Amino acid sequence: MAKNVTGEMPFLDHLEELRWRIIWSLGALVIGLVLGFVLVVKLQLIRVLQGPIAPLLAGNKLVITNPGDSFSITLSAAFAVGLIIAAPVIIYQLWAFLSPALHRHEKKVVIPVTVGAVALFVAGVALAYFFVLPMVLRFLLTWQSESFDPMITASGYFGLVITLALTFGAAFELPILILALAALGLVTPQFLARFRPYALVLTFVVSAFVTPGDILLASLALTAPLYLLYELSVLLTRIVFRKRDQAAFSTEQTTAGGVA
């Protein structure tokens, strides 16, 4: 892209670059969706995803109430898988757009940050599927069970599974978000440390807002790891600023030596 005499990219060039970054991200998402659909069908992931609720159905099957439910459920699962597949490309495109505002040593962490972001997303999805979902289902389906005969719809169950998985996966990106804000100079370790007394309350409020419905257990299950991730963000931000200060000091020493 063309730059002016100060080395800064003109505003219209920023918009043009952003447009292409979005196009590449959407292209990756489309490809991920196609691959996700193939994986869902070939690996029979719909059957696999029924694992947490199968022991609670007493030999029964999930119910569909619409002829298109089975296909729409497959598409929803394919979208979730496709999003995970496309995540590295989307994260890279975001980094590439922000990189002109970063220092040289910060640009070198693109691969570790991308890998870390994908790992955090997968960790959030795994926590939701293997721990939170079974706990929530066991509590909900055994509450007043003597008074009701449950008839669980496939759309309702898979909607819960996918929503919980994507919510936890996105929430686990908190350290990456805070690192990006720190790299851009919008937050500092001192600010994050002073914000600690409010962080726990805020993480619970956010968890209650983003988790589906009024499932208190899911909100509580997300609050604890989210606050721990906040503490991890504080630590990582300190490292970022320490590296930035060291780089600035090294540059000053080099400049001073050159002048001398």
Side-chain angles (χ1 to χ4, degrees):
M1 294 294 179
K3 296 184 179 181
N4 57 29
V5 293
T6 63
E8 297 178 352
M9 187 182 298
F11 178 71
L12 291 180
D13 286 346
H14 273 297
L15 290 181
E16 178 66 13
E17 182 183 6
L18 178 60
R19 184 174 74 90
W20 279 106
R21 299 296 179 191
I22 293 175
I23 289 174
W24 281 108
S25 298
L26 291 176
L29 187 59
V30 170
I31 294 174
L33 178 60
V34 173
L35 293 177
F37 186 85
V38 173
L39 291 175
V40 168
V41 174
K42 292 293 184 181
L43 301 180
Q44 297 185 345
L45 291 184
I46 296 300
R47 183 175 297 177
V48 174
L49 292 176
Q50 295 183 54
I53 200 172
L56 303 172
L57 293 177
N60 298 317
K61 292 183 178 181
L62 296 172
V63 178
I64 61 172
T65 59
N66 188 295
D69 281 350
S70 58
F71 186 72
S72 63
I73 289 169
T74 301
L75 282 181
S76 297
F79 176 80
V81 175
L83 185 61
I84 297 175
I85 294 174
V89 177
I90 296 173
I91 294 170
Y92 174 80
Q93 293 300 326
L94 177 61
W95 170 87
F97 180 72
L98 296 176
S99 62
L102 304 180
H103 293 267
R104 180 178 300 175
H105 69 278
E106 292 168 342
K107 296 179 181 181
K108 297 178 181 179
V109 301
V110 58
I111 294 179
V113 168
T114 302
V115 172
V118 174
L120 285 171
F121 188 88
V122 172
V125 171
L127 177 66
Y129 179 76
F130 291 107
F131 176 71
V132 178
L133 183 61
M135 177 182 65
V136 168
L137 290 173
R138 194 175 301 110
F139 173 78
L140 293 179
L141 292 180
T142 56
W143 181 262
Q144 297 288 341
S145 58
E146 67 281 357
S147 303
F148 303 100
D149 186 15
M151 185 175 67
I152 312 300
T153 64
S155 59
Y157 170 72
F158 283 105
L160 175 63
V161 172
I162 294 172
T163 302
L164 269 181
L166 293 182
T167 297
F168 273 67
F172 268 50
E173 297 300 302
L174 178 64
I176 305 301
L177 174 61
I178 293 181
L179 270 180
L181 295 176
L184 295 173
L186 299 178
V187 298
T188 64
Q190 294 76 17
F191 169 80
L192 294 174
R194 290 197 305 269
F195 193 72
R196 271 199 182 102
Y198 312 98
L200 183 59
V201 176
L202 184 60
T203 51
F204 176 74
V205 172
V206 171
S207 300
F209 180 76
V210 300
T211 48
D214 54 354
I215 305 177
L216 180 61
L217 277 177
S219 301
L220 293 175
L222 180 57
T223 300
L226 202 56
Y227 181 76
L228 292 177
L229 289 173
Y230 178 83
E231 290 293 338
L232 175 62
S233 302
V234 176
L235 176 61
L236 293 177
T237 304
R238 285 176 177 167
I239 295 175
V240 168
F241 271 71
R242 187 179 302 119
K243 293 288 186 180
R244 175 176 291 182
D245 292 340
Q246 290 174 352
F249 179 77
S250 177
T251 300
E252 291 178 359
Q253 292 291 101
T254 303
T255 303
V259 173

